[in-house]
Amino acid sequence: MNENEAMQLELLRKQMAILQENLDQFFMIINGMFIFFMQCGFAFLEAGSVRSSNTVNILMKNTLDVFVGSLSFFAFGYPFAYGRPGNSFIGHNNFFGANVQYFEKSVIANNQTLGGYETSSSYFANFFFQYVFAATAATVVSGAVAERADFSCYIIYSFTITGFIYPVGAHWVWSPDGWLNTGAGTGLSMQDYAGSCVVHVCGGMAALAGAKILGPRLGRFSDDGLDKPIPGHSVPLVSLGAFILLVGFLCFNGGSIQRISKNGDGLEVSLSVTNTILSGSAAGLSSMLTHRVHSMVKGKGKYWSLLMTTNGGLTGMVASCAGCNDIAPWAALLTGSVAGVVFVFARQFVLWLKIDDPLDAISVHLFGGTVGTLAAPILAIRGQTINGVSVGGPIYGGGVDAWRGVGWSLVGLFSIGLWSGLCCFTLFTTLDMVGLMRIPKSVEESGIDMQKHGEHAYPETFVRIIDDRPETPRKNKVVKRNVAS
Amino acid sequence: MQTGFAFLEAGSVRSKNTTNIIMKNVLDLFIGAIMYFAVGYSFAYGQPGNRFIGHNYFFATNKDEVMKTKILTLNPQIFSFLLTNKINTQNFTYASWFFQYVFAATASTIVSGAMAERTEFTTYMVYCTFLTGFVYPVIVHWCWTDVGWLQYGTGTGLKYIDYAGSGVVHLTGGTAAFVGAIILGPRIGRFNNDGTVNDLPGHTVTVAALGGFILFVGFMAFNGGSQLTISNPGDGAIVALSIMNTVLGGASGAIVAMLVYKTTDAIRGEDHYWSLLITINGGLTGMVSMCAGCNDMLPWAAVVIGTVAGLAFMTWHHIMLKLRIDDPLDAVAVHLGGGLTGVLLAPIFVVKGLQLAETKEYVGGIIYGKHWLAFQGFGWNLLGAVAIIIWTGVISILLFGSMSLLGVLRVSEEVELKGLDKLKHGEPAYPIESYCDGVPPWSKGKVKQCNIKV
Amino acid sequence: MQTGFAFLEAGSVRSKNTTNIIMKNVLDLFIGAIMYFAVGYSFAYGQPGNRFIGHNYFFATNKDEVMKTKILTLNPQIFSFLLTNKINTQNFTYASWFFQYVFAATASTIVSGAMAERTEFTTYMVYCTFLTGFVYPVIVHWCWTDVGWLQYGTGTGLKYIDYAGSGVVHLTGGTAAFVGAIILGPRIGRFNNDGTVNDLPGHTVTVAALGGFILFVGFMAFNGGSQLTISNPGDGAIVALSIMNTVLGGASGAIVAMLVYKTTDAIRGEDHYWSLLITINGGLTGMVSMCAGCNDMLPWAAVVIGTVAGLAFMTWHHIMLKLRIDDPLDAVAVHLGGGLTGVLLAPIFVVKGLQLAETKEYVGGIIYGKHWLAFQGFGWNLLGAVAIIIWTGVISILLFGSMSLLGVLRVSEEVELKGLDKLKHGEPAYPIESYCDGVPPWSKGKVKQCNIKV
């Protein structure tokens, strides 16, 4: 090989490296954008599931989630979760984006000689991708506390969850320093590919704490303990949200590999996506059938319930997060079917506890996440890596190490659940004591929208429908406002 | 795109059936996934397969090469092979499964539109199972695998041209929708005895338009993504060309449909309107017709085909009304009309077109034709369209016909009048008691008063 | 993003005009495609071009290099060139057309918001044709092609900084919207004679919020995608930085607007609310203002600019009310206000900034400035903004003014009061007869009864 050829080869190698790095970041960004769109899904799932007089409020909360979350995660969340150096409990660097190499490296890469190659900063792509995960965890809560939580309470807990509670859990499992990831001496590593535990159990526990402390909505449970459902105002909106979430989950799980340029990445991404859709499908169908049978047995009439089907499907997708890159498609079907059944009974259980969860957020995320966290190590193909060798899951001959891996996932599940539950319990109790937690009774009765936001979700449409006077101007509804003169 | 279809349909039915139609679309997705996983992909892409059908990879396993599949899923080694080694390509890839699955779901969703507001729920599940599990995969096998008879051709290079499924997806769905709508019969009150037509407008144009917009975006991915690869030379240009053609085809379809609707009504002396739904459906038809050849066509040809598609849409729209077939979504006009236009016009306008078997030379479409093969190509596409229509039509007639005879096809008159949502799903789309401001939710007795007060 | 705009607007108008506004957005997409295909892209990117306008590639053909274009599209050879050969880059690529087209459609959509609920439909088509076909492409040519006078600069490295179109897209759209809203005049009943303002709230906040969410996502693609390449060193990081800045800018814009709205009302002693629409519009303004420099700015600067944009939004919002200009969507405040903020602040905060012509050295923005060129850069951006405003403003005044004189600009009072949907489109957005359960659709007289029964 003459010198010229060597030069060209070196040039090619460098170009490939650049392209790989760009592709990886681009892949994260694109998936991050779809996951960001999940916020829209959550917003409409929730908007459709509340009464029309609280719609603006819930949309407002979801909008702020996006915005408060990004500032909070930028300032504190990312540093706690991924700032390096960090200890096994928490990271501590890069507060407010400090100490991050921004441009210098990429400029160097431009003018560099052929000898070496230095990567440019992947901070931005990482930040964005992790931020959308954090925002997802925080959004889960808003569903469970809908229609009765105070607005400032919402801002405070959204800030705390994205800025502190979620990042610490994420640090444990996903940061190279975290104790659940390094195994704290056991050599094990918790298996949670896309956050069944980190995102959904964390969010679900927060939702549970919030809903429990808030208490049910007025009129949800009658004095004699009967449960009186308060239906959401628009099924089409709910299903719009659900559809967006279904798409979002595909990216959530598919994108969790966070790179696309390495050998086998494509296969792993497509396996994840296939498993996610199969798990969701199985869960949707199984919860539809379970609900139908269950309500038949209870004598409540037999219905093909749309809401149960979509929520079941979401539960299945949540459950597939933990192991979707490492289980066979049949295992995804199994996980999903179990998750669907668990969802229906978890929902009954939550009702039995007299906890009012307008969105079934607890059943979907907490229970779906639990199923996923436990199913992943049991059904895993590669399973734990001991001394650089994949031992395989229990089914694939992993033996003792595999079962220890299951145990470690259980440890992780409890510690994250406990962490999130305790933090949120403290937070919400404090808010409750200072009176910032719940809106006044009068506001709850007359709807939050007009009282707090001055914007009614449907200023006219349904008025027209209901009293059938389409062309009558309704002057009394017009809000007059003086422009300062 | 499922989202798009769901909301186009949800907005186009009456509010009492909204939950029902969304439910159907959700199930499409879920049942479709399971069926396509179990048998559909196998019938379509299973290798080895014969000219007619594939048979392998049931439940994503590989019966002839059990060891190899196990390696695929069990062995961590495959995640670490070196680039210098020969890359071990798999016949079954998850990416391919996923991509083909969304196409299958699209085909089956089309039908739900034409049969909206009056079909039994269980019927829907049965037919959805059949369509994604058998009818559609067989057509895919014919047209998109090397061994399928339409793709294999006569050995002289004659092949069926259908890049992204004008025929495979839309013609299939459209035919099934056509048969279904005929056998079901119109909704109550749709046609008067004297032959005039009552409009049964959808309950919200907004939601329908949302669906339309999502579909526009979806079609770009549908056509752009059909290239399947992005790493070969020229792939990027083809994807971009496909998308540009899709946009232009949709644009001309929409504008033509809008103008035709306005002028025909004006000529007839009736009120003439700028109709939004006609425009959106015209745009969709244009995009459907682009599916067949958008990767191999100059932009001006896209505009021409889109225009024809717009006209085809209006023609089918009127034919359906004349025949007194009730299609709430115009699914037949959009997909059957658009699909047929695409399949028949693509071989005329393509630039590269077919490849001669001996010389590997591209002969071009009829316009650019350098060889009689170009004309044969048109005939072969016509044959393909007829074959698809007959196959789908016959199976649909058998399926829907037998269900109709068993009496499980259509809901009872009472259910149809009261709406499927409450009686079948227990979930009205817009529960009235959630719309009362200022009234505590437990005082159900006062609901009536509250309505009037609001 | 068209979807986002459509639903933001649909939710913000009254229900009687919903179909109309969606229709306008659909046509934006379709007319825009045809116009941009025919002449728009040519005026913008046609090469060769002079300092003022491009002139080539009309209808996607290439007048100077006919043979070359034919090779591009006809010859299969280009699909098989070897990687070692020099890659034959084409001046006209389909991908570039598609990307630029969606920008053009965005610019023209902005206007429909400000002119909602009272504009003639044909007017809209005419102006949309002009904007996407001529006004906008010329500005693009000035700012984004190497030969355009704003981009070419004075030869010392002075260039107009506008990465993703704060000026090019949003200022153009905002100015046209401003002129349109003034010439049209306010909707009936918007302003009282004593100077007070009546709210004419949109018919559903939900749909508006849906549009807002879709726009948030769209803006990320808008700003992230403006890098146009992904294969050069550091491209990935720049895309990621752009998106991160867009999110942060939007966040601070939204929060500032929300707080300002709440506090100003509280100080005035009126009812003070946490307004959702103000928050969403504030967020959009922040994102608009990010377009100019998001690829070259530290995250803290994004927060600062977003904050300023939030304030600018509230200022413009009040100015518009003071001037008694009726802008149902606050399109002027969002796009004109946000765009102006972005164009003017970007040269202050950029990190790398302009490049000296001789030394190829980056001089940085005013804050990081190492050279007087940084200050000149601010002046040049100001000049660019003024030029864009004058160019768009003058043409819009001529266009809307002449239509106003001809009397075809605004719908008649009767149509405005009854709503455009029924009279112009024949499709009310929420047809009342589709909301009655259990009542046969032909008994229209009983609708009232059915409502009470429900």
Side-chain angles (χ1 to χ4, degrees):
Chain A
M1 196 191 293
N2 63 32
E3 195 178 321
N4 193 22
E5 277 177 343
M7 285 256 297
Q8 283 199 340
L9 203 64
E10 191 58 39
L11 193 69
L12 260 180
R13 191 174 295 155
K14 191 176 152 199
Q15 279 176 343
M16 272 308 286
I18 291 168
L19 192 63
Q20 279 190 351
E21 172 200 313
N22 283 331
L23 265 184
D24 288 349
Q25 296 198 7
F26 194 63
F27 180 75
M28 271 163 83
I29 286 289
I30 291 288
N31 279 295
M33 281 167 31
F34 273 100
I35 302 170
F36 185 88
F37 202 44
M38 283 177 78
Q39 290 293 326
C40 177
F42 278 112
F44 288 90
L45 192 68
E46 294 177 11
S49 300
V50 301
R51 283 165 289 175
S52 66
S53 53
N54 297 325
T55 309
V56 173
N57 179 256
I58 198 91
L59 287 170
M60 183 78 176
K61 285 173 176 175
N62 278 288
T63 310
L64 280 186
D65 235 348
V66 173
F67 291 144
V68 171
S70 76
L71 294 178
S72 158
F73 197 70
F74 171 60
F76 306 110
Y78 190 85
F80 285 145
Y82 299 99
R84 301 198 69 184
N87 54 34
S88 62
F89 175 74
I90 199 165
H92 44 76
N93 197 359
N94 306 342
F95 292 98
F96 292 96
N99 301 331
V100 172
Q101 292 290 318
Y102 288 115
F103 291 104
E104 291 72 13
K105 278 188 175 173
S106 57
V107 175
I108 290 169
N110 241 337
N111 307 328
Q112 221 176 16
T113 48
L114 294 175
Y117 172 72
E118 210 171 336
T119 56
S120 69
S121 169
S122 59
Y123 167 76
F124 310 115
N126 270 321
F127 169 83
F128 180 67
F129 195 75
Q130 300 301 342
Y131 148 66
V132 290
F133 272 62
T136 307
T139 297
V140 170
V141 187
S142 64
V145 301
E147 300 203 69
R148 58 205 192 278
D150 193 73
F151 191 65
S152 43
C153 153
Y154 191 81
I155 294 180
I156 293 170
Y157 91 73
S158 171
F159 193 87
T160 320
I161 290 183
T162 48
F164 182 63
I165 301 174
Y166 165 80
V168 169
H171 181 81
W172 293 353
V173 182
W174 284 340
S175 163
D177 303 323
W179 65 276
L180 282 167
N181 193 8
T182 56
T186 57
L188 298 165
S189 176
M190 175 154 169
Q191 192 171 13
D192 192 0
Y193 179 63
S196 269
C197 185
V198 178
V199 178
H200 298 285
V201 170
C202 175
M205 278 307 286
L208 180 65
K212 179 72 196 159
I213 294 171
L214 261 177
R217 285 169 289 177
L218 295 176
R220 179 69 172 99
F221 298 106
S222 59
D223 294 334
D224 51 0
L226 284 178
D227 137 48
K228 291 189 168 178
I230 301 177
H233 79 285
S234 164
V235 172
L237 276 184
V238 176
S239 49
L240 170 63
F243 269 106
I244 296 176
L245 282 181
L246 295 181
V247 178
F249 264 113
L250 297 179
C251 292
F252 198 92
N253 290 353
S256 283
I257 189 170
Q258 302 188 22
R259 59 192 161 82
I260 192 68
S261 63
K262 301 285 178 320
N263 210 340
D265 281 357
L267 176 63
E268 195 158 344
V269 171
S270 43
L271 177 62
S272 305
V273 170
T274 304
N275 281 337
T276 309
I277 188 77
L278 285 177
S279 174
S281 304
L285 294 177
S286 78
S287 60
M288 177 181 84
L289 295 173
T290 314
H291 177 73
R292 192 175 159 89
V293 172
H294 179 260
S295 53
M296 251 164 74
V297 171
K298 290 235 167 168
K300 288 179 190 163
K302 44 177 191 171
Y303 293 119
W304 303 103
S305 166
L306 173 65
L307 298 179
M308 296 301 285
T309 311
T310 50
N311 271 332
L314 291 178
T315 314
M317 291 195 162
V318 167
S320 71
C321 287
C324 60
N325 66 330
D326 193 23
I327 58 178
W330 64 264
L333 282 181
L334 184 65
T335 313
S337 316
V338 173
V341 178
V342 165
F343 165 71
V344 175
F345 290 103
R347 194 169 168 275
Q348 295 301 321
F349 178 66
V350 171
L351 281 180
W352 179 76
L353 288 176
K354 294 273 177 296
I355 294 173
D356 179 20
D357 178 2
L359 267 287
D360 287 333
I362 301 170
S363 322
V364 171
H365 296 280
L366 181 56
F367 288 89
T370 308
V371 170
T373 312
L374 296 180
I378 296 177
L379 297 168
I381 295 169
R382 283 172 291 166
Q384 290 290 331
T385 307
I386 308 285
N387 301 326
V389 181
S390 299
V391 298
I395 296 176
Y396 295 94
V400 181
D401 281 333
W403 286 109
R404 283 173 64 217
V406 178
W408 192 245
S409 280
L410 210 55
V411 172
L413 180 67
F414 276 114
S415 39
I416 286 184
L418 217 59
W419 164 257
S420 165
L422 278 182
C423 286
C424 292
F425 189 77
T426 322
L427 177 70
F428 287 125
T429 319
T430 323
L431 286 174
D432 197 24
M433 288 198 294
V434 295
L436 279 176
M437 187 73 180
R438 192 164 173 149
I439 52 173
K441 197 175 170 202
S442 62
V443 176
E444 191 175 342
E445 279 179 354
S446 55
I448 312 173
D449 285 2
M450 283 315 285
Q451 303 276 339
K452 288 271 176 184
H453 303 284
E455 282 163 349
H456 199 294
Y458 305 97
E460 51 167 311
T461 312
F462 289 91
V463 172
R464 205 193 72 187
I465 288 159
I466 287 161
D467 64 17
D468 191 33
R469 281 175 291 157
E471 309 305 343
T472 322
R474 301 181 63 83
K475 286 273 161 63
N476 55 333
K477 279 278 174 186
V478 173
V479 182
K480 289 192 181 175
R481 181 183 300 143
N482 287 318
V483 174
S485 47
Chain B
M1 279 185 77
Q2 285 293 320
T3 323
F5 276 112
F7 289 91
L8 188 63
E9 294 178 11
S12 299
V13 301
R14 286 164 290 174
S15 65
K16 61 184 177 183
N17 298 323
T18 310
T19 305
N20 178 259
I21 197 90
I22 298 179
M23 183 78 176
K24 285 177 179 171
N25 278 287
V26 172
L27 280 187
D28 246 340
L29 215 56
F30 289 160
I31 294 185
I34 308 260
M35 285 308 294
Y36 208 65
F37 166 66
V39 295
Y41 190 84
S42 327
F43 289 147
Y45 288 94
Q47 281 175 14
N50 54 31
R51 292 270 172 278
F52 174 72
I53 199 166
H55 41 77
N56 200 348
Y57 310 142
F58 295 98
F59 295 93
T61 58
N62 190 336
K63 76 164 186 292
D64 292 328
E65 303 160 274
V66 179
M67 286 313 298
K68 217 172 162 192
T69 318
K70 278 215 177 133
I71 287 170
L72 164 71
T73 46
L74 292 182
N75 196 330
Q77 253 87 69
I78 65 130
F79 291 103
S80 61
F81 61 80
L82 293 170
L83 266 178
T84 45
N85 295 348
K86 191 170 162 297
I87 293 174
N88 181 16
T89 50
Q90 297 291 337
N91 291 325
F92 179 87
T93 66
Y94 298 113
S96 150
W97 179 86
F98 181 70
F99 197 78
Q100 301 302 336
Y101 148 66
V102 289
F103 274 58
T106 304
S108 93
T109 296
I110 292 168
V111 187
S112 64
M115 298 169 65
E117 302 204 64
R118 56 201 193 279
T119 315
E120 265 291 351
F121 190 68
T122 37
T123 305
Y124 187 77
M125 291 201 285
V126 171
Y127 117 83
C128 172
T129 310
F130 262 81
L131 195 72
T132 51
F134 182 64
V135 181
Y136 170 80
V138 168
I139 294 175
V140 169
H141 184 81
W142 295 354
C143 303
W144 281 346
T145 61
D146 288 339
V147 295
W149 67 273
L150 274 168
Q151 173 72 295
Y152 186 80
T154 53
T156 55
L158 194 57
K159 281 183 177 182
Y160 173 72
I161 299 179
D162 194 353
Y163 175 62
S166 267
V168 179
V169 178
H170 299 284
L171 205 51
T172 309
T175 310
F178 188 60
V179 173
I182 292 178
I183 295 182
L184 262 177
R187 286 167 291 175
I188 297 173
R190 176 70 166 130
F191 296 104
N192 298 331
N193 292 332
D194 57 358
T196 55
V197 180
N198 293 323
D199 261 353
L200 299 178
H203 78 290
T204 143
V205 172
T206 328
V207 172
L210 170 64
F213 270 100
I214 297 177
L215 279 181
F216 292 148
V217 179
F219 262 112
M220 292 179 199
F222 196 95
N223 289 354
S226 286
Q227 178 69 9
L228 298 178
T229 62
I230 194 72
S231 58
N232 295 326
D235 276 357
I238 290 182
V239 171
L241 177 63
S242 305
I243 291 180
M244 178 169 175
N245 281 339
T246 309
V247 173
L248 288 175
S252 39
I255 293 173
V256 167
M258 177 182 85
L259 293 176
V260 169
Y261 183 77
K262 172 113 181 157
T263 46
T264 49
D265 273 5
I267 290 167
R268 282 207 215 127
E270 295 169 14
D271 292 343
H272 43 283
Y273 296 119
W274 303 103
S275 165
L276 173 64
L277 294 177
I278 294 285
T279 312
I280 288 181
N281 276 331
L284 291 177
T285 315
M287 289 186 170
V288 166
S289 73
M290 280 292 99
C291 290
C294 61
N295 63 329
D296 190 20
M297 212 175 256
L298 294 185
W300 67 263
V303 175
V304 174
I305 295 185
T307 310
V308 176
L311 296 173
F313 167 72
M314 291 310 296
T315 318
W316 276 94
H317 178 76
H318 285 296
I319 290 177
M320 294 292 285
L321 289 181
K322 265 282 194 297
L323 293 178
R324 310 190 61 169
I325 302 168
D326 183 17
D327 178 1
L329 268 286
D330 274 339
V332 176
V334 171
H335 298 279
L336 188 56
L340 215 49
T341 312
V343 172
L344 297 185
L345 292 191
I348 299 182
F349 288 96
V350 286
V351 175
K352 289 195 294 176
L354 297 169
Q355 226 174 353
L356 279 178
E358 311 96 52
T359 57
K360 299 289 173 206
E361 193 191 343
Y362 287 104
V363 299
I366 289 183
I367 288 183
Y368 297 95
K370 309 170 198 144
H371 201 278
W372 50 269
L373 188 62
F375 293 90
Q376 280 190 316
F378 177 78
W380 196 252
N381 260 30
L382 185 62
L383 178 67
V386 172
I388 291 173
I389 292 176
I390 291 176
W391 167 256
T392 317
V394 168
I395 295 190
S396 302
I397 290 173
L398 290 178
L399 194 65
F400 292 126
S402 56
M403 286 196 283
S404 180
L405 290 178
L406 289 172
V408 294
L409 187 62
R410 191 166 172 150
V411 296
S412 69
E413 194 176 331
E414 185 211 350
V415 174
E416 190 176 340
L417 284 178
K418 286 201 176 165
L420 295 151
D421 285 2
K422 266 192 201 159
L423 296 174
K424 290 278 169 184
H425 301 282
E427 284 165 348
Y430 305 99
I432 196 93
E433 63 268 32
S434 294
Y435 279 97
C436 305
D437 295 350
V439 176
W442 56 84
S443 62
K444 292 222 170 161
K446 289 182 191 165
V447 165
K448 207 166 167 183
Q449 188 201 335
C450 115
N451 283 337
I452 294 161
K453 218 177 71 188
V454 168
Chain C
M1 279 185 77
Q2 285 293 319
T3 323
F5 277 113
F7 290 91
L8 187 63
E9 294 178 10
S12 300
V13 301
R14 287 164 290 175
S15 61
K16 61 184 177 183
N17 298 323
T18 310
T19 304
N20 178 259
I21 198 90
I22 298 180
M23 182 78 176
K24 285 177 178 171
N25 278 287
V26 173
L27 280 187
D28 245 341
L29 213 57
F30 289 150
I31 294 184
I34 305 272
M35 285 308 295
Y36 209 65
F37 163 65
V39 295
Y41 190 85
S42 328
F43 289 147
Y45 288 94
Q47 280 178 13
N50 53 32
R51 292 268 172 279
F52 174 74
I53 198 166
H55 42 77
N56 201 347
Y57 311 142
F58 295 98
F59 295 93
T61 57
N62 189 337
K63 80 166 184 292
D64 293 327
E65 303 161 277
V66 179
M67 285 314 297
K68 215 169 161 195
T69 319
K70 278 217 175 132
I71 287 168
L72 163 71
T73 45
L74 293 183
N75 196 329
Q77 253 86 69
I78 64 131
F79 293 103
S80 61
F81 60 80
L82 292 172
L83 269 176
T84 45
N85 294 348
K86 191 170 162 296
I87 293 174
N88 182 18
T89 50
Q90 296 292 334
N91 291 325
F92 179 87
T93 66
Y94 299 117
S96 150
W97 180 87
F98 180 67
F99 197 78
Q100 301 302 336
Y101 148 66
V102 289
F103 273 57
T106 305
S108 94
T109 297
I110 292 168
V111 187
S112 64
M115 299 170 65
E117 302 204 67
R118 55 202 194 278
T119 315
E120 264 291 352
F121 190 68
T122 38
T123 305
Y124 187 78
M125 292 201 283
V126 170
Y127 116 82
C128 172
T129 310
F130 262 82
L131 196 72
T132 52
F134 182 63
V135 181
Y136 169 79
V138 168
I139 294 175
V140 169
H141 184 81
W142 294 354
C143 303
W144 282 345
T145 61
D146 288 340
V147 294
W149 67 273
L150 275 168
Q151 173 71 297
Y152 186 79
T154 53
T156 56
L158 193 58
K159 280 183 177 183
Y160 173 72
I161 299 178
D162 193 353
Y163 177 62
S166 268
V168 178
V169 179
H170 298 284
L171 205 51
T172 308
T175 310
F178 188 61
V179 172
I182 292 178
I183 296 182
L184 262 177
R187 287 168 292 175
I188 297 172
R190 176 70 165 133
F191 297 104
N192 297 332
N193 292 332
D194 57 358
T196 55
V197 180
N198 294 323
D199 261 353
L200 299 178
H203 78 291
T204 144
V205 173
T206 328
V207 172
L210 171 64
F213 270 98
I214 296 177
L215 279 182
F216 292 148
V217 178
F219 263 111
M220 293 183 191
F222 198 95
N223 288 354
S226 286
Q227 179 69 8
L228 300 178
T229 63
I230 193 69
S231 57
N232 296 325
D235 277 357
I238 290 181
V239 172
L241 175 63
S242 307
I243 289 177
M244 179 170 175
N245 280 340
T246 309
V247 174
L248 290 175
S252 39
I255 292 173
V256 167
M258 176 183 84
L259 294 176
V260 168
Y261 183 77
K262 171 111 181 160
T263 45
T264 49
D265 273 7
I267 290 166
R268 281 204 214 133
E270 295 170 14
D271 292 343
H272 44 282
Y273 296 119
W274 302 103
S275 164
L276 175 64
L277 294 177
I278 294 285
T279 312
I280 288 181
N281 275 332
L284 291 178
T285 315
M287 290 186 168
V288 166
S289 73
M290 280 292 99
C291 291
C294 60
N295 63 329
D296 190 20
M297 213 175 255
L298 295 187
W300 67 264
V303 175
V304 174
I305 296 185
T307 310
V308 176
L311 295 173
F313 167 71
M314 291 310 296
T315 317
W316 275 94
H317 178 77
H318 285 297
I319 290 178
M320 294 293 285
L321 290 180
K322 263 283 198 293
L323 294 177
R324 310 190 62 170
I325 301 169
D326 182 17
D327 178 2
L329 268 287
D330 274 338
V332 175
V334 170
H335 298 278
L336 189 55
L340 215 49
T341 313
V343 172
L344 296 184
L345 292 191
I348 299 182
F349 288 96
V350 287
V351 174
K352 289 199 289 180
L354 298 170
Q355 227 175 351
L356 278 178
E358 312 97 51
T359 57
K360 299 287 173 207
E361 194 192 341
Y362 288 106
V363 299
I366 289 182
I367 289 184
Y368 297 93
K370 309 167 199 147
H371 199 279
W372 51 270
L373 188 64
F375 292 89
Q376 281 190 315
F378 177 78
W380 196 252
N381 259 30
L382 185 62
L383 177 68
V386 172
I388 291 173
I389 292 175
I390 292 178
W391 167 256
T392 316
V394 167
I395 294 191
S396 301
I397 289 173
L398 289 178
L399 194 65
F400 291 127
S402 58
M403 284 197 285
S404 179
L405 291 177
L406 289 172
V408 294
L409 188 61
R410 191 165 172 152
V411 295
S412 67
E413 193 175 329
E414 184 210 352
V415 174
E416 190 176 340
L417 285 178
K418 287 202 175 166
L420 295 151
D421 284 3
K422 264 191 201 160
L423 296 175
K424 290 275 170 187
H425 302 283
E427 286 166 347
Y430 305 95
I432 190 117
E433 61 268 31
S434 296
Y435 278 94
C436 304
D437 296 350
V439 175
W442 55 82
S443 61
K444 293 215 173 164
K446 290 180 190 166
V447 164
K448 206 165 170 183
Q449 188 201 333
C450 113
N451 285 333
I452 293 164
K453 222 175 70 189
V454 172

